[in-house]
Structure formats: structure tokens, C-alpha cells
Amino acid sequence: MTDNHVSGMETSAVSVLKRAVELDQSGRFQESLVCYQEGIQLLIDVLKALKDESKRGHYRDKIKGYMDRAEQIKAHVNQLKEDGKYHEQIKIPEDATGYSYETLFKPYISSTLSEVWVEDPYIRHTHQLYNFVRFCEMLLKTCNKVKKIHLLTSQGEQADNTQQSSALSELRDSLGGQGVTLDVQYSSTIHDREIRFDNGWMIKIGRGLDYFKKPKGRFSIGYCDYDLRCCHETSVEIFHTKHTKTL
């Protein structure tokens, strides 16, 4: 392994662990735990590549410190989950970036996740349907055990209904080709927006999945990469429950 490669891993580890500490200090414990784990693994990889014993000792101490803190957070989060008291709030400021679906949901997606429930009254216009497609893509990328996705949404005007039905039917067929079942139900009274995972996590977003602003153009930064897309101001509430209800 070259010195440049090791230096690059060191830089990445510092960046990820800095983010972990920031999230830790702001009380976003589940997210910070994921960052601590990623950063610790990067430091372990650096340690394996180092020859200088003094540097190796320095990194062993760093790794131990971060591992101890990660274990404390893990125990704290598990106790809150056990007591049914886990609650976390994330404020997304107006025009903020860095809140793609993968960034927002990844800390709550475990390797055992197999079923997802989405309640969102506004999955009917073109951009909202694309948002839902991107959300489904994110699920498939981050967890290969997802087997069923439930969507409860509303229907709009007749013209919108035709597009909505056609788009969701196409998505159902596409997901089916990936071994995933899409179950779509409609409600004329739905108002609340929430996403539930069968591992117990529940995420409520004030604006549902539709919190991204329209890009300035098709060739503008943020058109493809949602981490670079500006957001509307909204709040995200995160809870954990032992028993995830079904629709």
C-alpha cells in the first residue's frame, strides 16, 4: 500500500470521525454511531498499513477511545429502544444540501430489514413519483434483504390518476424483477407522512419524501445527485418501537 493511499485513508477517517463527534454532541446518536463505526474501520485499515511503531501506538489509543465511545452510545441507544423512549429530531434548513435519501435513511437501515411501509399522500405528480422511485432504489442499494414495500398514498385529479397508476404499475413490475413486492393502497383521508421499517425504526418527515427543491435546470448541479440538491425547510422526527404496525 502506497504512502499516498495511507494518507488518503487517514484523511477520510479524520473527516468521518469529526462528523461522528459533531452528531454525538448534537444528540443524533444513531447517526453518530454509524459514523464512529465507519471511521474506526478506516483507522484500523491505516493501522494495518503502518510500519512505524510509535504511530501504531498512537492509532491504537485513538481506536480504543473511539470504540469505547461507540460502545457507550450503542448501549444508550439500545436502552432507549428497549424502553420505547428513543426520539431524535433533525432540522433541515431552507436551501440546505447533503440530505439525500441515502444520507438520511442509511443509519436506520440494518442488514435484517425486509419490509418497509410508506405513508405519503403526495406520491402522484411526476416529480413525486420520481422521488418514490429514488427511495426504492436507495432501499435496494443499501439492503439486499428488502422483500416488500407498502405504499399508502392519495389520488389526485383524473389526469393525474392515469399517470400515477401507470407509473406505479411500471415500478411494481420493475421491483418484481428484483425480487421485491410493491403493494399500493389509496386513501382519500390520509394526511400524515411516515416511513416505517420492520426493524422498529419510524421516520416522520414534515414534507414527506417531497422535501427537495426543483433544480434550476436539467444540466444543473444537483439534478442527478440528491446530496447536492437544495432542500425546503422541514423537520425529521425519528422514533423506535419494538412492534411495527402494518397497514
Side-chain angles (χ1 to χ4, degrees), residues 50-235:
L50 288 174
K51 300 289 193 296
D52 187 311
E53 194 55 41
S54 64
K55 285 187 177 181
R56 288 173 62 84
H58 170 74
Y59 276 104
R60 286 194 196 96
D61 291 341
K62 285 286 187 183
I63 290 168
K64 184 181 184 305
Y66 287 126
M67 288 183 73
D68 287 347
R69 180 53 187 159
E71 284 301 318
Q72 290 172 358
I73 292 173
K74 186 175 181 180
H76 177 62
V77 168
N78 285 342
Q79 189 60 55
L80 289 174
K81 287 159 65 175
E82 184 67 25
D83 296 341
K85 296 179 180 179
Y86 190 97
H87 176 231
E88 181 181 332
Q89 184 180 69
I90 300 171
K91 292 286 190 180
I92 300 180
E94 185 75 6
D95 289 324
T97 57
Y99 290 96
S100 69
Y101 296 143
E102 186 168 358
T103 299
L104 186 61
F105 291 104
K106 187 177 178 180
Y108 311 99
I109 296 177
S110 62
S111 59
T112 59
L113 179 65
S114 63
E115 197 165 1
V116 177
W117 292 263
V118 178
E119 292 185 6
D120 192 324
Y122 299 108
I123 308 292
R124 57 194 193 201
H125 299 308
T126 301
H127 74 283
Q128 295 165 344
L129 290 161
Y130 277 131
N131 285 342
F132 186 61
V133 172
R134 285 184 177 272
F135 175 78
C136 292
E137 290 175 337
M138 180 275 300
L139 289 175
L140 266 62
K141 282 174 60 181
T142 53
C143 183
N144 58 13
K145 291 186 180 179
V146 171
K147 295 301 177 186
K148 193 162 190 177
I149 300 171
H150 303 265
L151 172 64
L152 179 65
T153 189
S154 64
Q155 293 180 305
E157 301 299 325
Q158 187 61 42
D160 291 333
N161 290 350
T162 302
Q163 175 186 250
Q164 180 188 41
S165 177
S166 175
L168 291 175
S169 177
E170 182 178 336
L171 178 58
R172 182 186 293 111
D173 291 343
S174 181
L175 284 168
Q178 300 287 329
V180 179
T181 300
L182 174 63
D183 170 54
V184 180
Q185 301 290 332
Y186 299 99
S187 169
S188 60
T189 57
I190 182 175
H191 175 72
D192 292 343
R193 302 160 176 86
E194 66 180 45
I195 294 169
R196 300 188 302 280
F197 298 151
D198 68 353
N199 59 11
W201 289 109
M202 179 188 300
I203 297 96
K204 297 186 177 185
I205 308 174
R207 298 182 63 96
L209 292 174
D210 192 12
Y211 60 86
F212 295 105
K213 289 191 170 184
K214 183 178 179 181
K216 293 180 179 179
R218 289 182 298 164
F219 302 99
S220 299
I221 295 298
Y223 184 83
C224 297
D225 189 336
Y226 274 33
D227 266 322
L228 299 174
R229 179 82 67 91
C230 290
C231 299
H232 292 286
E233 180 179 351
T234 193
S235 61

